[in-house]
């Protein structure tokens, strides 16, 4: 029987940068959340590790053996090989942690099939700043470069969410490099809702004001027109998310966005 895992789309409900480190990485505080939809991984026991990729965004990926999925697999000790089929539904370089979500799903596959080594968190952090959060894919706070995780009261579980990507790829290091040292300070609030509502995304200002990526400005304006509870860019963009009170309001917003911008990528779901 295959093991089937969803690589849940990651969003940053809030992201405040604190300082630039000597190694070029940035210390930050972020509120991670996950949509109950994303890429799909189908895994089977096999003689040797193998990865096959299909789906809408397959062409945007590098050589599969350079893919974060394959790296995750090779970093985890196991008695046997695993054959993986990855269905790439999430856009790449999109602020959704697509590769990190896939890697996190690989960790869950290996946990199911063989169990994880005790130092799985260190192994995940070496693969990328978002990967540890993507292993459990539950709403949480990330500190340090995003790898130090702390639990949070999740009063946003089930919240209807719409994701919109105007189909521009954004190179994350380019956005961080533009940071001029002014951040949102510490995240404020006790629960996920309080933190999300009172926070912001410091990278959004860079993308919309410094880099002036017009498609992101347009995506944010279009989401604003649908009267969401909250709308914001995720990570370094270009994907923007909007939260709604009801699935009906979210689906109405989806119809409006699809009519006005049929060329944009969209995804709906509920927060986990
Ligand atoms: O860790 P990951 O490979 O996902 O990060 C991609 C890039 O984003 C890094 O090379 C770095 O330029 C930037 N980044 C950063 N500070 C973070 C996370 C990522 O500067 N906390």
């Amino acid at each position: 029987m295959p093991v089937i895992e969803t690589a849940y789309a990651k969003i940053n409900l809030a992201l405040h940068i604190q300082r630039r480190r000597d190694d070029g990485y940035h210390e930050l505080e972020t509120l991670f959340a996950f949509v109950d939809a994303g890429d799909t991984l189908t895994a089977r026991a096999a003689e040797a590790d193998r990865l096959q990729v299909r789906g809408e965004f397959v062409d945007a990926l590098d050589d599969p053996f350079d893919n974060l999925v394959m790296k995750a697999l090779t970093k985890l000790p196991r008695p046997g090989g695993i054959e993986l089929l990855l269905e790439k539904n999430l856009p790449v370089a999109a602020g959704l942690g697509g590769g990190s979500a896939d890697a996190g799903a690989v960790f869950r596959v290996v946990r199911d099939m063989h169990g994880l080594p005790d130092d799985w968190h260190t192994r995940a952090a070496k693969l990328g700043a978002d990967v540890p959060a993507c292993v459990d894919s539950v709403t949480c706070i990330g500190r340090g470069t995003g790898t130090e995780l702390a639990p949070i009261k999740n009063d946003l579980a089930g919240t209807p969410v719409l994701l919109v990507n105007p189909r521009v790829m954004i190179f994350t290091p380019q956005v961080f490099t533009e940071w001029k040292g002014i951040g949102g300070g510490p995240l404020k609030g006790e629960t996920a809702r309080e933190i999300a509502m009172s926070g912001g995304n410091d990278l959004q200002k860079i993308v919309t004001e410094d880099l002036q990526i017009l498609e992101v400005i347009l995506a944010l304006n279009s989401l604003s027109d649908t009267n969401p509870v909250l709308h914001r860019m995720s990570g370094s963009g270009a994907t923007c998310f909007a939260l709604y009170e009801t699935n009906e309001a979210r689906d109405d917003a989806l119809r409006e966005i699809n009519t006005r911008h049929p060329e944009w990528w969209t995804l709906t779901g509920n927060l986990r």
Side-chain angles (χ1 to χ4, degrees):
M1 281 295 281
V3 174
I4 299 174
E5 277 289 340
T6 301
Y8 304 107
K10 170 230 72 170
I11 58 176
N12 302 90
L13 288 174
L15 193 161
H16 292 189
I17 306 177
Q18 290 169 326
R19 69 176 190 98
R20 182 172 285 138
R21 298 192 331 192
D22 292 342
D23 63 2
Y25 266 82
H26 296 76
E27 305 239 317
L28 46 82
E29 276 197 348
T30 186
L31 176 57
F32 287 114
F34 296 84
V35 182
D36 61 357
D39 295 337
T40 307
L41 261 186
T42 307
R44 288 183 178 83
E47 290 206 347
D49 291 344
R50 206 169 85 89
L51 171 65
Q52 204 190 332
V53 191
R54 65 176 189 207
E56 183 177 353
F57 293 100
V58 65
D59 294 337
L61 294 177
D62 300 336
D63 168 17
F65 288 88
D66 193 33
N67 189 298
L68 214 47
V69 172
M70 213 53 200
K71 281 191 186 151
L73 204 51
T74 51
K75 289 278 183 293
L76 292 171
R78 290 156 283 128
I82 297 181
E83 192 179 87
L84 288 172
L85 173 64
L86 168 64
E87 187 166 318
K88 197 75 208 147
N89 306 319
L90 298 175
V92 174
L96 295 175
S100 307
D102 296 339
V106 169
F107 275 62
R108 297 196 297 279
V109 162
V110 173
R111 185 162 66 193
D112 263 27
M113 293 173 76
H114 302 288
L116 283 175
D118 290 343
D119 64 346
W120 66 265
H121 183 277
T122 311
R123 292 172 193 255
K126 281 192 185 140
L127 292 168
D130 289 344
V131 177
C134 289
V135 174
D136 283 324
S137 290
V138 294
T139 304
C140 65
I141 300 285
R143 296 197 176 87
T145 58
T147 63
E148 295 161 28
L149 306 179
I152 177 85
K153 184 172 184 304
N154 184 10
D155 54 356
L156 288 175
T159 300
V161 56
L162 167 62
L163 302 182
V164 167
N165 183 294
R167 294 193 193 266
V168 279
M169 286 169 87
I170 297 186
F171 189 49
T172 303
Q174 188 200 352
V175 181
F176 272 105
T177 305
E178 288 288 327
W179 186 61
K180 309 271 188 322
I182 300 159
L187 294 177
K188 288 188 202 76
E190 294 300 315
T191 71
R193 180 182 288 266
E194 286 167 13
I195 295 170
M197 296 307 286
S198 68
N201 179 355
D202 291 340
L203 298 175
Q204 179 175 317
K205 192 167 169 293
I206 297 171
V207 166
T208 57
E209 293 179 24
D210 301 328
L211 300 173
Q212 296 196 7
I213 300 180
L214 295 178
E215 291 89 343
V216 174
I217 299 170
L218 197 56
L220 287 165
N221 286 342
S222 303
L223 286 174
S224 171
D225 287 347
T226 64
N227 295 314
V229 177
L230 175 70
H231 69 290
R232 191 165 284 160
M233 192 183 82
S234 177
S236 56
T239 306
C240 300
F241 67 85
L243 306 182
Y244 300 87
E245 292 290 0
T246 64
N247 285 345
E248 290 70 32
R250 177 203 61 199
D251 294 345
D252 286 347
L254 173 70
R255 269 190 292 277
E256 200 174 316
I257 298 270
N258 279 343
T259 305
R260 282 167 64 181
H261 299 281
E263 71 284 9
W264 286 357
W265 175 87
T266 52
L267 181 77
T268 57
N270 297 82
L271 293 183
R272 278 165 49 83

